[in-house]
Amino acid sequence: KFCSTDSTQRVVDAVQAYLKGGASGIEHEASGKAFVVYGQSGSGKTYLMSKLMVEHIQERGKGCVVIRFLGTSPASSAVQPLLSSVCEQLRRCYNTEKGVPSDFKELKAYFRKAVTEWPSEEQPLSLFIDSVDQLDNSNAGRQLEWLPVSGLSPHVRLVVSTLPDHAEFKCLSQLRKGLGLADGASEGNIVEVETISDHIRVLRRLLKLQGRTLTLEQEVAVDAAFLKRGQRDGAGTPLWLTIVAQFIAGWTSYDGVKFPLEPSVRGLIEDLFERLEATHGTHLVRAVLAYLTLCRRSG
């Protein structure tokens, strides 16, 4: 379902150049630094990271590839079980007899040694860590002191993704600091996943997958909502466009624009709830949503 645009291709090209050894005139093998991908929620970071991981595994002929998507389970939401899991995989990959320690301080040292000393030209390491902002605050996980983003072995490629800084966490600033970049600097080993550069083409592809299309009037309505986007709440992101495509896939050519489209993800969802209540009644909709929430929380 991936639809490449100028904005996504810029990210893919930058990361692939880093993985292969050089980008933007920088010799990454000599730099010994990680590469950081960042962007707002819903911008498609995880999708792009997944695409890059798959292509890297297919192209790479040797070495160890370690992949972690953070925040997807309790074990991937806290730094200690995360490091224990990664270190155990590295230990098996590099045939190291010394067991993984349980003490967090020793665990950090073990991990640092593994990613700075074990990889070699014959057995390089590629480590992908998606969404470090999804870690909780146990053992100062979001401070990222446990993650060496510089001083890496020349045979290591470390790709990390995160959200921009937030009131609750400053992961991006911590990563910039570790890379030796000033706040706001975008040169070197960091790239932003920006707003979709060709939203109408992506929308048409999303609708084509459902066997649908739009009239010119309907496309103009989507374009107008896209242009009203703000800087927060997933406005203008692939997530927003995916939700819009689901909403309008049911529009027919004679419907025109059935309802106005909100320019933010939250606005789209709130509008959906309001339309459901108008159709089925407030009490029924709220009761059903409450039961669904209880079922999900209770497992």
Side-chain angles (χ1 to χ4, degrees):
K1 294 182 179 181
F2 181 76
C3 182
S4 178
T5 63
D6 291 342
S7 55
T8 58
Q9 194 59 46
R10 188 175 68 86
V11 176
V12 170
D13 289 345
V15 178
Q16 287 183 336
Y18 165 75
L19 292 170
K20 293 175 181 178
S24 304
I26 295 174
E27 184 55 42
H28 288 290
E29 287 189 351
S31 73
K33 294 182 178 181
F35 196 95
V36 176
V37 177
Y38 75 98
Q40 64 175 307
S41 180
S43 62
K45 298 184 299 301
T46 297
Y47 200 120
L48 285 172
M49 289 282 283
S50 300
K51 172 181 170 62
L52 289 161
M53 293 169 192
V54 170
E55 292 180 351
H56 183 63
I57 291 172
Q58 292 173 341
E59 295 174 0
R60 186 157 191 167
K62 59 182 180 180
C64 179
V65 179
V66 178
I67 295 170
R68 292 295 184 276
F69 294 93
L70 306 192
T72 57
S73 68
S76 66
S77 300
V79 65
Q80 185 157 0
L82 168 67
L83 285 186
S84 295
S85 171
V86 171
C87 287
E88 184 59 39
Q89 183 175 348
L90 292 173
R91 187 184 71 81
R92 294 196 302 269
C93 183
Y94 290 100
N95 297 315
T96 301
E97 294 184 0
K98 184 178 180 181
V100 177
S102 57
D103 177 77
F104 184 66
K105 185 176 181 180
E106 295 177 2
L107 184 60
K108 285 197 300 181
Y110 189 101
F111 175 67
R112 183 174 291 273
K113 182 176 182 179
V115 298
T116 56
E117 298 182 15
W118 295 359
S120 63
E121 184 176 355
E122 295 74 26
Q123 187 78 329
L125 169 65
S126 299
L127 175 56
F128 296 85
I129 303 179
D130 180 59
S131 303
V132 291
D133 54 273
Q134 292 298 309
L135 288 171
D136 60 31
N137 286 322
S138 61
N139 292 303
R142 285 177 170 174
Q143 296 299 314
L144 303 182
E145 294 178 356
W146 54 272
L147 183 63
V149 294
S150 60
L152 299 173
S153 161
H155 308 296
V156 172
R157 294 292 179 271
L158 170 58
V159 182
V160 182
S161 74
T162 184
L163 289 172
D165 286 346
H166 190 271
E168 298 179 0
F169 53 82
K170 305 289 183 183
C171 295
L172 183 57
S173 290
Q174 294 294 336
L175 291 168
R176 287 185 187 277
K177 182 179 178 181
L179 292 172
L181 293 174
D183 288 344
S186 59
E187 71 278 2
N189 302 45
I190 189 167
V191 65
E192 180 181 6
V193 182
E194 299 176 336
T195 301
I196 298 174
S197 57
D198 192 349
H199 56 285
I200 293 298
R201 183 165 70 88
V202 176
L203 175 67
R204 288 172 178 170
R205 177 170 174 77
L206 290 171
L207 291 171
K208 184 178 180 180
L209 292 171
Q210 302 180 63
R212 307 296 297 177
T213 189
L214 296 179
T215 65
L216 177 60
E217 178 190 12
Q218 292 165 343
E219 278 194 358
V220 169
V222 175
D223 186 54
F226 181 86
L227 295 176
K228 291 179 182 177
R229 67 189 184 278
Q231 295 298 315
R232 299 177 64 85
D233 192 23
T237 63
L239 175 60
W240 178 85
L241 200 59
T242 300
I243 296 173
V244 167
Q246 291 295 323
F247 282 3
I248 65 180
W251 290 3
T252 62
S253 59
Y254 54 79
D255 281 331
V257 179
K258 292 185 68 174
F259 51 82
L261 297 168
E262 296 294 328
S264 68
V265 170
R266 185 180 184 87
L268 286 174
I269 295 173
E270 289 178 345
D271 181 63
L272 171 63
F273 290 160
E274 290 175 0
R275 286 187 285 110
L276 286 173
E277 289 180 350
T279 302
H280 303 288
T282 299
H283 295 300
L284 175 61
V285 171
R286 293 186 179 183
V288 170
L289 292 176
Y291 280 123
L292 289 173
T293 302
L294 287 171
C295 290
R296 180 175 180 181
R297 290 183 177 179
S298 62

